[in-house]
Amino acid sequence: MAMGGRNMISLLEWINGALKSIDTSDELLSSFGADPRTLALSSDAFLSSALKVARSLADQICQAQEERATYEIPNGVPCQPLPTPGSNWADSVTVRLSSRDQHFNGDHRDLQPLPFHPNKESSARPGELRDMLKSAIGDVSLLEKDEGEDEAAERYNYLSVASAILMPPSNSVDGGCDQVKDEMQRIYSLGLLFYELFSGGERPSETTPHKIPKSDGISHHEKPELLEGNQEPFLLHDQTETIDIASNLNLFDEIGDADSIFGSLNGKHDADNIQEQTPKKKAMKSADKMRSVSVELLKSKGLPWSLCNLIANMLDCANGDLCGDDSYSHMSDVCSDLQRMLDKPHTYLDDLDLAKLAVTGLQLNETVFGREAEFASLQGAYKRSISGESELAIISGTSGTGKSVLAHRLGSFVNTRGGIFLSGKFDQLQHATPFSAIAAAFNQYCDMLVNEGETARAEKVAAELNRALGQEAFHLSRVIPSLSTVIGRDDRQYGVDQGCVDAQKRLLYLLCQFVEVISSSSGAPVTLFLDDLQWADTASIQVIHQLLLNSGSLNKSKHFFFLGCVRQEEVNGNHPFFSMLSTVCQFGIPVTTITLSCMDEDMINTLISDVLCLSPRLTRTLANIVHHKTKGNPLFFSQLMISLSKDGLLRPSLSRHRWEWDEEKIQSRKLPDDVATFMTSNIGRLPNEVQMALALLSCFGASTKVTLVEALETQLGMSLIDSMEKAAAEGVLDKINGSYSFGHDRLQEAAYNMMRHDACLFHFKIGVALVACTLEYNDDDMLFTATDQLNRGGPAVVQDAEQAVLIANLNFTAGMKAIEMSDFISAYKFFDNGISFLRKRHWQENYDLSLKMFVAAAKCALFIGNIVSLKYLSQQVLTFAKSFQDKLEVLYTTVNSLARYEPPKAIDKAILVLSDLGEEVSESCSESDIKLSIEQTRMMLNKYTDESLLNHKSMEDPSKIMAMKFLARLELLVLLIRPSLLPIVTIKMVQLSIKHGMSPMSPVGFTYYGMLLARLGNIREGCRYVRIGRKLLDRVGSNEVAGEVITIGTQVMCFVEPVQSANEFFLRGHAAAMLAGDMRNAMASSMTYAVGSYWAGTKLQIVRENFAKSRILMEKQNHLMWLAHQTPVERSMLILIGADETDLPGQPSFGEAIPYASMLICFQKVYMSFMFRKYEHMKASAEIYFGYNVNSWSLVYTQTAQAFHGGLAAYWVFRKSNDAKWAERASRAKFAMKKWADCNEWNFQSKLFLMEAEEAFCYNDIDSAKSLYEKAISSAREHRFINEEALAYELAGYFFMEFGQKDVSLNFFLQAHEKYHEWGAFAKANAVYEFTMTSMGAGALGGQ
């Protein structure tokens, strides 16, 4: 029955109720006659609830002890006493439950520990317990007895324990002078209570009754339920008889650990084994002294051994100073152990599987202890990345500190939340395979799509990849082989490679597209984890760099998180990865750095406690020894623990049902100072043939495919597979997904170091053996591996010249394969190694091989930016080449290099080469000569229809094909730097195409020719040739120039199509250029799109984002020339928005080297002065601007903005100065605008109307001006040029103000203010507002 309340019951009532409420209807156990009450005692439900009761009681005593130890009690003030030790505590325990239909709200507090009153009688007076409960609970209603209370008891949920309280017996004391002794007495008394709690209410029966001497002022009373006749309470501490039971345990000591018992099942009967099991001195001696109370009854009831041992260790406190090492000395340890059993019952409560442990020994799971803060930091970085901004995290630390384990822990976190976690690992010995780590990660995703049966998702990804990449997916499949399976194509289904400018840049773009597609298709963020970044190759780091920037802060829809691990001791500030980190930080990408150190003693103890399923208080001494020997290195720790288990120094004990160890032998065991030496010594214990196989395997790095090992086994005639399996059985190797992998990098390094001085010869022999396999299997990976092994052997071990040539040829083949995979860094290394194998007279004896090797190496040197090597390689070819034709490829490479760094020199070099090819490009042609050539070319083309041009013959003459390549390379260079040469180069390309046939470069010539005609006023005809140029892209397969053709052609199309829609084609040009690795035209199209969106009247916030994206692309490529063209317009846009001066980008300066860029800067000064009505500054800048004589034969849309705003500025100066030259300048601009408007009213009509209105204003033609201003406003609104509508309103306001019509003027200014604000030009809107306020007075604006 409840004790005075609905949910307060005695301990005995709770035990009985809880046991009855547990379902024990287990047919199997019942058939063996198991007692249901006994079954209930060992059930998880009862144990969990009983542990809560036990913990609550232990916490209560702990709290009281801490209060006495913490607070100083003034003299004369009674302190809070502690309960007197005794055997009757169970009678004073009350358990609080939650009823089945009642849940307490916040007004009912949890039970608090009750105060213990000294000098009270042992038995409570009637009502005393009730009064004390009222005092503790603070709510009388809980203790009121309701009618039908017996029925209410049926509603109790006995297994729902709120708390338990030990009510103070009347003989509570303040404690004696020996606080340690008093605390052990209380632990013993609480152990008796726990015995009764977990036994189902049974009192100990094996206790020898003794009388406790009375203390002064303290009375002792018998416990009626336990004592009979003249019996007294239990004897405590030194009054207790101790019994040595060591002799009774001789049997178990002789048997020793469980390994000897279960080992006998495996036939382990040898004499050595028996000798090892002689009695040993145990490190833990809790069993050496007989406890006053035996816990055998608890064990017989099926209670977990750990719980029985906990109670036994508490009861062992009865022996006082003679208690065993496992006995408790502090109540806080009892509390902690109980909490562990509640929190992690599988570890600290459940019984060990001794039979399994005897076979497997100690098994260490990949769990991380003491890394919670670091893991939380990783989680935070990941969560930020999935919000839309890319981020990266780096885990650094010395070898063996658990970097990879922590990273894979994050992987589990990502996967459980629906993310995509891809992982790869760099290898010190696998640099030869292009993008090996990244390829493995992305291949893993493709294999997952195919193998896990996710058909729907695989089909969606395939469709998206085919749409995004098209035929270019072929190049990505060379790096990610499984991609072909996903998208349903093989090599035969792809067309011929249609060329590209920079294959490596193309691959970077394709990989970014791949990540974007898999993220968007699955709706999940992508995490890429790459291990061992200290061995990362430069090409892979460039991929990481591009992925991060591509998914940066301006791409909110792209979710990418990069995680890397790096060995702290093996990198420095010069490592390319740290250069990449510095760059991404400059672009505002957050970097989280986590440094892992070795574990301290507490962390080691926590780890050992968890692994051995023992309380940390029991493992502390072992942890101290292990920490001292391993210095806290996690890898060293795991290897040592496993070694101790194998050597029997750490073993499962059958008699004690737990792990035990020999501290003295572990302490005396000599170990090396570092983990590498320790691992080497472990490998040295393996059979010789296994050591040899491991040394061979280590030559390939940390992981090697089984198929390669099998092939090598055949060639070398060695039994490698059997040896690998033996090593795997010893835990040195793992066999996962068809590969043998070393358990840790340090194991691989230890095996590799066994070769010492024979490593080069070892590598060379392996390479020779694999060459035959390479030829047999036609396997690219095996080719890379074989060649790499030969290169690691080096030229010094080559036996003869014929063998050297063979190896050089293999390097050339491998290099060309790497180029196909767009890895020019690896390719360059292969070519460089191949050259090193050539003998001194190789140009005379192996000319063809030398030529192609040096030319290919020079091309790779260009792509990777190794200019020093490029110059040397080029000079070698130019010196030893037998003909001019043999020099052309390296000359073209040289021109491309100069175009990046010294454009004027590139023009001069190309013109010189063209002259040698018989194609003169004269810089002395007059304008009349150029116009004559244009007319001759028009007459030549008049003979052809569009269809006949598209079906014209193909160019076959190699010299003419090379001439076209040089001419095409010149087009954009001369457009920007020497515009006078543009028509000459363009006409030359068109005429060569007509005379000798179409080449892959012909689309460039026809597109520029269309621009040339449009510049001369034949816009419609010019558009015709632009369209022909675009169609020729498909006809002659010129992906290499697609970006340039689309970008230049779109400039012309803006003169016949609405600029708002035509401008979008620049994005197509950008994508085409990226697919070809043509960064020059990718930047040009991106910049032109941003500038075009500005002049098209797009909202300025969107324009700002367009400029930012373009700037990132150019800054990544360090391309200052395009920045010089973009920055003036970008600065103007930011000023109109109202950005601070500090937020404006700096203006790159080339002086007069790029005159068009200088003219743009000057024009923007005119434009901004005009917009903010700074007349004098505008006039001065306009004088300089109109003085530029840029002989441009090109036609780009920004020229219309220059004519428009330059003309308006000239009209303003003319109106104020009456200087005729300004009227002439304005008239020329209006004339050009009229020609454009005749061709395209949409883009130019409003501009023309406004210029005509300003002209009428100059000549005081008021009626015409009024009409034209209205037309300009209406046309700008109709054609969606909000910027020009705002400007027309503003200029009309000035006009009407000039003629005294302030009311009309005010309306126009207010409309201008509104439209500028709508456009996003807030600073300009404010300027108009302030001007109106100043000119007309604040009152005139009313509520505006």
Side-chain angles (χ1 to χ4, degrees), residues 22 48 146 183 190 246 277 436 636 786 809 861 879 933 1037 1063 1127 1148 1169-1171 1211-1212 1343:
I22 294 173
S48 177
D146 292 336
E183 184 171 6
L190 189 61
Q277 307 306 324
S436 57
F636 202 167
N809 267 303
T879 301
S933 296
N1063 197 56
T1127 301
S1169 299
F1170 176 79
M1171 291 297 290
Y1211 279 125
W1212 188 16

Side-chain angles (χ1 to χ4, degrees), residues 35-56:
D35 175 35
R37 187 176 178 88
T38 301
L39 292 177
L41 278 173
S42 60
S43 67
D44 291 341
F46 177 78
L47 287 174
S48 177
S49 299
L51 282 169
K52 292 177 183 178
V53 172
R55 183 204 59 195
S56 183

Side-chain angles (χ1 to χ4, degrees), residues 819-865:
I819 288 178
E820 291 178 10
M821 299 173 71
S822 306
D823 184 359
F824 288 88
I825 295 175
S826 296
Y828 176 80
K829 290 178 180 178
F830 281 123
F831 296 139
D832 189 47
N833 277 302
I835 290 172
S836 71
F837 280 95
L838 295 175
R839 299 304 170 98
K840 288 184 178 181
R841 292 179 52 80
H842 62 89
W843 280 107
Q844 292 77 24
E845 298 174 359
N846 307 106
Y847 177 79
D848 291 340
L849 175 60
S850 299
L851 178 65
K852 64 183 182 180
M853 189 89 78
F854 275 81
V855 169
K859 184 177 181 180
C860 291
L862 169 65
F863 286 132
I864 66 177

Side-chain angles (χ1 to χ4, degrees), residues 211-444:
K211 183 176 181 179
I212 302 177
K214 294 182 179 180
S215 301
D216 292 339
I218 300 175
S219 61
H220 299 270
H221 294 264
E222 299 175 351
K223 185 174 181 183
E225 293 85 356
L226 182 65
L227 304 180
E228 298 179 2
N230 296 321
Q231 289 181 338
E232 297 294 333
F234 300 160
L235 183 67
L236 303 176
H237 284 295
D238 50 345
Q239 290 83 28
T240 303
E241 296 178 356
T242 59
I243 304 174
D244 186 357
I245 62 167
S247 58
N248 296 325
L249 294 178
N250 282 343
L251 173 62
F252 295 107
D253 284 339
E254 290 171 4
I255 292 176
D257 57 38
D259 192 31
S260 63
I261 296 175
F262 294 100
S264 63
L265 301 177
N266 299 321
K268 295 181 179 180
H269 296 292
D270 55 86
D272 293 337
N273 188 53
I274 295 176
Q275 185 177 358
E276 288 179 1
Q277 307 306 324
T278 55
K280 303 167 185 171
K281 180 179 178 181
K282 293 180 174 57
M284 284 167 266
K285 301 173 287 185
S286 61
D288 292 347
K289 297 293 182 181
M290 170 62 82
R291 305 178 183 92
S292 298
V293 179
S294 171
V295 294
E296 292 304 317
L297 175 66
L298 300 181
K299 297 177 182 178
S300 68
K301 292 180 179 293
L303 295 180
W305 276 73
S306 58
L307 181 58
C308 294
N309 288 335
L310 180 144
I311 297 172
N313 293 161
M314 296 176 71
L315 296 175
D316 198 23
C317 291
N319 285 322
D321 295 335
L322 300 177
C323 63
D325 290 347
D326 288 0
S327 301
Y328 286 98
S329 56
H330 299 287
M331 186 66 74
S332 59
D333 289 336
V334 178
C335 296
S336 298
D337 286 352
L338 290 170
Q339 190 62 52
R340 288 186 184 90
M341 291 181 178
L342 280 168
D343 293 341
K344 302 174 71 174
H346 180 70
T347 300
Y348 292 104
L349 182 62
D350 296 349
D351 287 340
L352 298 176
D353 186 346
L354 295 176
K356 179 180 178 181
L357 291 175
V359 176
T360 64
L362 184 67
Q363 299 293 307
L364 295 180
N365 298 322
E366 289 192 342
T367 54
V368 183
F369 287 85
R371 308 294 193 195
E372 295 307 317
E374 291 85 349
F375 182 60
S377 181
L378 279 182
Q379 285 179 306
Y382 171 74
K383 290 176 181 177
R384 288 191 297 272
S385 75
I386 64 177
S387 67
E389 296 186 11
S390 62
E391 189 162 338
L392 75 157
I394 304 301
I395 306 174
S396 66
T398 58
S399 178
T401 50
K403 302 182 295 294
S404 304
V405 173
L406 182 60
H408 284 289
R409 183 180 177 189
L410 180 72
S412 300
F413 173 81
V414 170
N415 290 330
T416 56
R417 282 155 181 78
I420 299 173
F421 186 83
L422 308 176
S423 62
K425 180 181 175 65
F426 291 104
D427 198 305
Q428 191 176 15
L429 297 176
Q430 290 186 359
H431 280 182
T433 304
F435 306 106
S436 57
I438 293 175
F442 291 146
N443 225 39
Q444 170 190 350

Side-chain angles (χ1 to χ4, degrees), residues 408 421-424 440-441 443-445 447-448 451-452 482 702-710 725 728 733-742 781:
H408 284 289
F421 186 83
L422 308 176
S423 62
N443 225 39
Q444 170 190 350
Y445 175 76
D447 290 339
M448 179 182 69
N451 297 334
E452 294 185 4
S482 296
S703 180
T704 308
K705 292 181 180 179
V706 174
T707 53
L708 189 146
V709 177
E710 291 173 342
E725 293 297 330
L733 296 179
D734 296 321
K735 189 176 182 181
I736 304 173
N737 298 328
S739 295
Y740 286 114
S741 302
F742 284 93
D781 285 342

Side-chain angles (χ1 to χ4, degrees), residues 28 111 155 201 256 306 575 661 678 686 731 736 738 869 990 1097 1117 1176 1226 1263 1303 1309:
L28 178 60
L111 291 174
R155 299 197 305 270
S306 58
H575 195 280
W661 52 90
F678 180 70
L686 299 173
I736 304 173
S869 294
V990 174
Q1117 302 299 322
E1176 294 297 338
D1263 292 336
D1303 291 342
F1309 281 132

